[in-house]
Amino acid sequence: MNWAVLDWEQRLYLTTHPFAYPLLRGLARRGPVVRVPGVGVVVSEASLARRVLMDGETFRKDGPGSPGDLWTPVLGPSVLLNMEGEGHRALRRRLTELFTPAYSDALCARVLAGPLADLAGRLAAGAEVDLVDTMRLMAGAVIGEVIGLETGGEAAYRHLFEQGERIVSMISLRTRRLSPDQVARAREVLDPLGDIAAKSYAAGDESTVMGRMRALGLSEDEARGAAGAFFLTGTETVATLVPRLVALLHDAGLLDAVAADRSRLDPAIDEAMRVTTPTPVMLRSVHRETDVGGVPVRPGDRVLIATHNCCRAYGPFDPDRPQPPELRRLWFGAGPHFCIGYPLAMAEIRLVAGTLLDAAPLTITGRAAARGVLIPTYRTLTVRRMR
């Protein structure tokens, strides 16, 4: 592999998934929808992917080969990740009120005030800062607040992040279900966190996320399951995005421009998410006969939405280019399963990115790709303020 001719995003994907990633990209060249024996029907076109995601009756998350196969043994039967139908709609209606933009902004501002002040101080002093380690701390602090962790501190927050990473790293792009041993290892992590969430839920303090879940009418089991789902799906997504956002802006020569005009930050975040695609694939199980892009599918078929292919079809990183409507944050899902944690993720990303941009001009002083993870990311990415 001639690493010199690859951009850093390609390097990250190839380091993390050296065999699956070339296969995934190769399928995009075969056509918008391809049936692959042993894998399923692979969708690599955004408008078709959106059609699948919007039709929760035909393409479901609770059948064979779906996310339910992965997460039900770990999280139980009643979390949004593995539900469909009226039960899913009822739970989602209650949870949607949980992370409003105003509440998410206030939660992140309160929880991250100290870590952000420390980050700003270190950058102002001219110190090198590893954004990977910084984001582990930030993401751990926010998810700790969500599940009701009473005693924090940097060591506790980093440990919390590492616990989630242990579970997610068991999964590859080819994983259909966890083995009994993997389920047991995941439960070793999640059961104590569920106990923390249940204690916060029982206290009923509506200033906490778990207390708000109780006030919204969720049962204790639903609150525990939701806390586990937030822990697994939200922590790494945010933590991996910020270093990659900074790297993309740096490599495109746009860091100073976005620092000078903050109206460009949200488009830059959306564009970074399109290019990095924090959810590179999504799974659905077919429940009734139909077709996808002219390819017939039958009940029991597995549909693999190659979100990364859908997103990368629109070219290299360019935050000044408007994204077409069929994308519309496809990396967060669409329709009945659009990520309800989106406002919380954006609040956290904006705050950390804003603090970094306040220290501009910045330069990257070193970086290396991570191995043994599910979401491609940097092992280290160090930045320093330029004098």
Side-chain angles (χ1 to χ4, degrees):
M1 182 66 65
N2 184 1
W3 291 101
V5 302
L6 296 175
D7 67 31
W8 270 97
E9 279 299 313
Q10 287 178 298
R11 294 190 194 194
L12 296 182
Y13 264 97
L14 284 167
T15 300
T16 305
H17 303 293
F19 303 110
Y21 184 66
L23 172 62
L24 189 74
R25 296 300 287 146
L27 290 173
R29 294 189 288 271
R30 292 274 306 276
V33 185
V34 180
R35 183 179 288 276
V36 181
V39 174
V41 176
V42 180
V43 179
S44 297
E45 197 275 323
S47 61
L48 291 173
R50 184 167 294 278
R51 178 203 146 192
V52 170
L53 294 172
M54 296 292 288
D55 185 355
E57 298 302 319
T58 303
F59 305 99
R60 300 169 64 101
K61 297 187 79 168
D62 59 354
S66 74
D69 272 0
L70 274 174
W71 297 122
T72 298
V74 175
L75 296 171
S78 298
V79 294
L80 294 179
L81 295 175
N82 57 4
M83 297 175 69
E84 293 290 357
E86 183 51 41
H88 173 266
R89 287 188 289 272
L91 181 58
R92 185 179 177 86
R93 278 194 296 270
R94 286 176 286 170
L95 285 173
T96 298
E97 300 178 43
L98 194 61
F99 294 122
T100 63
Y103 181 79
S104 298
D105 289 345
L107 183 152
C108 288
R110 172 170 50 83
V111 172
L112 297 180
L116 288 173
D118 178 67
L119 172 62
R122 292 169 63 200
L123 289 169
E128 277 193 346
V129 174
D130 182 0
L131 294 188
V132 174
D133 181 67
T134 296
M135 285 311 302
R136 285 168 169 256
L137 171 62
M138 303 281 184
V142 171
I143 201 62
E145 176 71 14
V146 168
I147 66 174
L149 188 67
E150 293 179 348
T151 55
E154 292 191 7
Y157 296 145
R158 286 191 175 92
H159 177 70
L160 197 59
F161 182 90
E162 289 163 4
Q163 293 284 78
E165 194 174 47
R166 277 180 54 200
I167 299 175
V168 176
S169 65
M170 294 188 226
I171 301 166
S172 73
L173 296 181
R174 296 168 292 175
T175 304
R176 283 179 174 264
R177 59 179 57 87
L178 299 177
S179 70
D181 179 62
Q182 288 174 320
V183 171
R185 285 155 52 198
R187 294 297 297 267
E188 285 178 6
V189 173
L190 289 173
D191 286 350
L193 297 182
D195 293 341
I196 293 170
K199 182 179 178 182
S200 180
Y201 173 92
D205 181 355
E206 292 188 31
S207 68
T208 68
V209 174
M210 291 296 115
R212 293 186 74 216
M213 286 192 192
R214 180 172 177 171
L216 291 169
L218 275 76
S219 70
E220 181 179 309
D221 285 344
E222 288 172 332
R224 286 181 69 118
F230 295 148
F231 175 70
L232 288 177
T233 61
T235 311
E236 275 197 276
T237 300
V238 173
T240 58
L241 186 278
V242 172
R244 293 167 80 180
L245 165 66
V246 170
L248 285 164
L249 288 171
H250 174 277
D251 295 348
L254 293 172
L255 260 176
D256 290 349
V258 176
D261 180 2
R262 297 305 172 86
S263 68
R264 300 178 68 180
L265 178 56
D266 273 13
I269 293 171
D270 276 349
E271 179 67 355
M273 286 190 170
R274 178 189 70 82
V275 170
T276 64
T277 326
T279 310
V281 300
M282 300 180 188
L283 302 175
R284 292 295 186 271
S285 177
V286 179
H287 276 241
R288 61 189 179 198
E289 191 169 326
T290 184
D291 74 276
V292 181
V295 175
V297 292
R298 298 172 295 278
D301 278 350
R302 183 186 195 227
V303 175
L304 187 149
I305 298 169
T307 325
H308 185 72
N309 287 346
C310 297
C311 293
R312 289 306 298 261
Y314 293 89
F317 180 74
D318 182 1
D320 294 323
R321 179 183 57 224
Q323 293 183 357
E326 62 267 23
L327 279 180
R328 291 202 307 277
R329 302 189 178 104
L330 190 66
W331 44 90
F332 278 114
H337 286 284
F338 184 81
C339 177
I340 64 169
Y342 166 72
L344 185 67
M346 288 299 294
E348 187 175 346
I349 292 165
R350 286 189 190 108
L351 277 175
V352 181
T355 300
L356 292 167
L357 293 173
D358 286 343
L362 294 173
T363 187
I364 293 176
T365 57
R367 52 180 146 179
R371 299 180 185 274
V373 293
L374 175 62
I375 301 176
T377 188
Y378 288 98
R379 178 169 55 83
T380 60
L381 187 137
T382 54
V383 300
R384 186 183 66 238
R385 185 179 184 183
M386 298 171 63
R387 296 294 184 181

